[in-house]
Amino acid sequence: LGLDDEVGSLEPGKHADVAVVSLEGSPYVPWEDPAAAVVMGGSASRVLLTLVGGEVRYEPGTSLWHELRQKGIEARAKLLGR
């Protein structure tokens, strides 16, 4: 794609989307398979930080994520007549 100077690694000057997920209390240990530990042992409540393009988009307690999610669930139910 010709984007090696912009993406592909975490380096100053490159674009990055990063999610920091806590595995504290998870039955999956990250040193065996870090990706599987996040996928199998992670959940929305374990997200500690989300960065998009280097900008913080979510930190617990600083966003209305749960309220927005609930409104989305309610809107979907209303559309589906539930």
Side-chain angles (χ1 to χ4, degrees):
L1 297 175
L3 297 173
D4 291 342
D5 291 338
E6 296 179 43
V7 298
S9 60
L10 293 175
E11 297 179 42
K14 290 191 173 184
H15 299 281
D17 298 342
V18 178
V20 179
V21 179
S22 171
L23 294 176
E24 183 178 345
S26 171
Y28 299 93
V29 288
W31 57 82
E32 291 176 353
D33 186 344
V38 170
V39 171
M40 303 301 284
S43 70
S45 64
R46 291 180 184 265
V47 176
L48 301 178
L49 177 73
T50 302
L51 297 151
V52 177
E55 294 182 25
V56 174
R57 294 292 178 95
Y58 172 78
E59 280 184 280
T62 62
S63 128
L64 301 175
W65 172 253
H66 295 289
E67 290 86 351
L68 291 172
R69 185 172 182 271
Q70 185 59 40
K71 287 185 182 207
I73 290 169
E74 291 168 6
R76 181 178 186 272
K78 191 173 184 179
L79 284 170
L80 296 175
R82 295 182 185 170

